[in-house]
Amino acid sequence: MISLHGIHFQYDPEDPLVLSDLSLDIPAAKVTAILGPNGTGKTTLLHILLGLLKPSQGITQVAGKRHKDYSRVELSRLIGLVPQFESIPFNFSVYEYVLLGRSPYLNPFQLPGEEDHEIACQALESAGILHLASKPVMEISGGERQLVHIARVFTQQTRILLLDEPTAHLDLQNQNRILNLLKNMAANGSTPVMTTHDPNAAIFVAEHFVLMSRGQIAAQGSVNEVITTENLSGIYQTPIRVEKNNGYIMVVMDKDR
């Protein structure tokens, strides 16, 4: 679904490279989890996948076409982003904000129709926040706001969903809700791509794994190929142990090392 080859990126010509000679293939209809320490370029990579940032070198392809061959409207119908932090300049209600996800399908002065409202309601219900529909976005908790961002992208109905640390501010119940939603999306043909600091959340939801280190891909592939004691201890520069028991895999801090 997504291919990157030889990507180089820096925010300013005088700055060091954030991404260096990065190549990556993301399969369709599977959840991909991107892991790595802070500052390794995970969010920058998502913004390149979205088309918000353009690499100084390299080729990016989405669904068989280069980014530059899509119009902005085409890309917004193809790829959606749930950012880790998002500033909301107006005091929208939850419902009004989620309904903004239909913008790529409307003309500049066109009002949402009945189908758009139905899709927004379904997204709120899927995210478990229909009861918050009339609440002002700025008056709900950080965890609830994260669910609202996710519902807005569900309303956008894109084939590819990029999520930057989607479970970072959620309690266990809502983490489980979102991770299962991503599984269901992949089962129905969508391609979710998430960054996370939590290897166990990645193991729960993903079929394809990517490890990043210092702006490059350190490993990519299946859980058994990527999620190993050696790989994780090396990437995070701390003792980590990967345990396997009865078909389950769990990542733990290794206090004995």
Side-chain angles (χ1 to χ4, degrees), residues 20-38:
S20 175
D21 197 24
L22 182 148
S23 295
L24 173 64
D25 291 313
I26 294 175
K30 293 183 178 181
V31 180
T32 291
I34 302 174
L35 300 101
N38 291 331

Side-chain angles (χ1 to χ4, degrees), residues 115-132:
E115 182 181 5
D116 301 306
H117 286 284
E118 288 177 359
I119 292 169
C121 287
Q122 289 169 4
L124 285 166
E125 189 169 4
S126 294
I129 52 172
L130 187 57
H131 63 288
L132 297 176

Side-chain angles (χ1 to χ4, degrees), residues 195-217:
T195 67
T196 180
H197 288 295
D198 185 351
N200 291 310
I203 292 166
F204 177 82
V205 71
E207 296 178 81
H208 186 72
F209 297 80
V210 177
L211 282 186
M212 290 188 66
S213 177
R214 299 179 181 179
Q216 295 182 316
I217 303 300

Side-chain angles (χ1 to χ4, degrees), residues 1 3 19 61 74 104 117 129 161 175-176 183 200 211 234:
M1 179 58 76
S3 294
L19 303 178
Q61 288 187 311
E74 287 174 329
H117 286 284
I129 52 172
L161 180 61
Q175 285 184 37
N176 186 65
K183 280 186 176 182
N200 291 310
L211 282 186

Side-chain angles (χ1 to χ4, degrees), residues 170-177:
L170 302 181
D171 59 32
L172 291 177
Q173 180 185 32
N174 284 316
Q175 285 184 37
N176 186 65
R177 180 191 299 276

